[in-house]
């Protein structure tokens, strides 16, 4: 079996690793998914369920993924095999297929994000509900989506080709402070909007105890938590494979989960005041992924120049959040190609870029394809997460016990 832990790169320091993991976790899923799920899932009840899932289920799985990555020091595809033998190869396959699938449609959503950013900067935003449907159509259909998809994948691959320290760690060191700064500014701005209070109370105070046991809410909380924390498909295993042995894994898992949840909540504190102040609450549940690109731009579009400026900040923030997630997804196939076939990082990045570009074509062409792929991926994450927990919690301890 491949044994390639010699000369494996390492993170420069603890902060670099934590920022990279937070960068992976914080993404479009936080900015949109959290607010969307909580509006669908009964407001405060969803938030409580979400926090519960993070604490009870996700943090232990986080530690399991970190431990698997750090102790095997190989890419996610090889890690379960190195730890527990060839019977676990299918889990390795899941770890390579799922990040590729997610990256393929994530690049498309990044393309829409980048376009809204450019439109708010140079052109203008929709001003009412009837303009908003056309607006979304115009950003999400047509061959120009390929430009954004290629750009996003190209940028991500370029950064990943720079390596762990000089590529991924450096990107996150620059981007994460900017991201938190913009987020903070937007939360403060949104607090002064006319119906900020109404927005907050719908996000956090609207509590119906029955919603806590509603199966739809429970499954929303699981899928949102796994997606948002980048768990279940090898991304965190891969990042942890570049860790040295000194790090305190449970502490880091808690820190990362805390920051990610904080960003989800802060995003809600931005989007909910906008939605209620500009009377967009009826449009929120019409479509899943597209609504971020109709509700928020249309809300801000009614607010003149200031609204446009805030849209520039919001979608700039979203793009930054997305690129730091994209590199984490790309690092999985790239590190696998390096470990398994001894490829140079540069070529591994180019091949991954080409492969994901081609797999992403149906998502550029069809939003329903993209939506379905997203649903399938979210299910795989949960399955993958539980399998890692089972591997680390039950299979390995037993085989180690049998050996001694
Ligand atoms: N967590 C990111 C978000 O919230 C997306 C992401 C990056 C991801 N890497 C992942 C999701 C791995 C699942 C698995 O947008």
């Amino acid at each position: 079996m491949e044994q390639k832990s010699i000369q494996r790169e390492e993170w420069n320091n603890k902060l670099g690793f934590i920022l990279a993991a937070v960068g992976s976790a914080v993404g479009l899923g936080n900015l949109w998914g959290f607010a969307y799920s909580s509006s669908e899932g009964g407001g405060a009840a969803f938030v409580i369920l979400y926090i519960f899932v993070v604490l009870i289920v996700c943090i232990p799985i986080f530690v399991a993924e970190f431990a698997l990555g750090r102790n095997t020091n190989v890419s996610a595809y090889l890690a379960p095999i190195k730890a527990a033998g060839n019977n676990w190869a299918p889990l390795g396959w899941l770890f390579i297929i799922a990040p590729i699938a997610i990256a393929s449609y994530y690049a498309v959503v990044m393309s829409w994000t980048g376009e809204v950013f450019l439109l708010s900067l140079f052109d203008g935003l929709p001003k009412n509900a009837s303009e908003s449907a056309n607006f979304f159509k115009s950003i999400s259909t047509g061959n120009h989506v390929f430009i954004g998809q290629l750009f996003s994948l190209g940028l991500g691959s370029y950064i990943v080709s720079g390596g762990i320290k000089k590529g991924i760690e450096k990107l996150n060191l620059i981007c994460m402070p900017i991201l938190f700064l913009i987020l903070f500014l937007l939360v403060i701005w949104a607090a002064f909007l006319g119906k900020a209070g109404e927005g907050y109370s719908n996000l956090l105070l609207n509590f119906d105890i029955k919603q806590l046991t509603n199966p739809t809410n429970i499954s929303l909380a699981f899928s949102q938590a796994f997606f948002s924390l980048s768990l279940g498909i090898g991304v965190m295993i891969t990042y942890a494979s570049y860790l040295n042995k000194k790090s305190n894994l449970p502490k880091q898992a808690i820190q990362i989960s805390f920051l990610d949840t904080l960003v989800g909540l802060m995003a809600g504190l931005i989007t909910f005041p906008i939605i209620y102040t500009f009377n967009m609450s009826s449009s929120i549940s019409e479509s899943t992924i597209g609504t971020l690109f109709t509700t928020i731009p249309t809300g801000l579009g009614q607010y003149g120049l200031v609204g446009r400026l805030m849209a520039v900040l919001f979608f700039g923030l979203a793009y930054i959040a997305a690129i730091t997630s994209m590199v984490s997804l790309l690092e999985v196939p790239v590190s696998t190609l390096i470990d398994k076939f001894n490829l140079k990082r540069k070529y591994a990045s180019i091949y991954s870029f080409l492969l994901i570009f081609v797999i992403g074509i149906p998502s550029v062409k069809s939003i329903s394809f993209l939506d379905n792929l997203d649903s399938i991926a979210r299910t795989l994450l949960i399955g993958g997460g539980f399998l890692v927990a089972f591997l680390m919690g039950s299979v390995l301890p037993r085989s180690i016990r049998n050996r001694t």
Side-chain angles (χ1 to χ4, degrees), residues 272-287:
F272 272 60
I274 296 175
I275 289 162
Y276 283 89
T277 303
F278 301 108
N279 296 320
M280 301 298 297
S281 50
S282 59
S283 75
I284 194 169
S285 55
E286 276 162 16
S287 106

Side-chain angles (χ1 to χ4, degrees), residues 24-25 27-30 102 106 227-228 230-231 233 235 325 328-329 381:
S24 169
L28 296 167
N30 297 63
I102 296 181
Y106 209 76
F227 189 86
S228 182
S230 303
L231 279 185
I233 52 159
V235 167
S325 299
S328 74
L329 290 162
L381 297 177

Side-chain angles (χ1 to χ4, degrees), residues 356-390:
I356 295 170
F357 165 67
V358 173
I359 294 176
I361 293 174
S363 298
V364 174
K365 295 280 181 196
S366 151
I367 296 178
S368 61
F369 182 90
L370 189 157
D371 257 339
N372 288 334
L373 196 55
D374 182 51
S375 314
I376 297 171
R378 283 172 188 252
T379 316
L380 293 178
L381 297 177
I382 301 175
F386 276 97
L387 283 172
V388 179
F390 178 62

Side-chain angles (χ1 to χ4, degrees), residues 301-323:
Q302 296 168 40
Y303 209 51
L305 218 55
V306 178
R308 262 178 77 178
L309 177 67
M310 294 305 144
V312 170
L313 286 179
F314 186 83
F315 286 93
L317 161 84
Y319 200 86
I320 293 176
I323 190 72

Side-chain angles (χ1 to χ4, degrees), residues 161-191:
S161 74
I164 294 300
K165 286 195 184 102
K166 292 205 185 110
I168 297 177
E169 188 166 349
K170 196 163 151 201
L171 170 83
N172 283 290
L173 229 53
I174 300 170
C175 284
M176 294 322 283
I178 299 177
L179 184 140
F180 275 96
L181 181 71
I182 301 180
L183 202 59
F184 199 64
L185 287 176
L186 284 171
V187 170
I188 294 175
W189 173 75

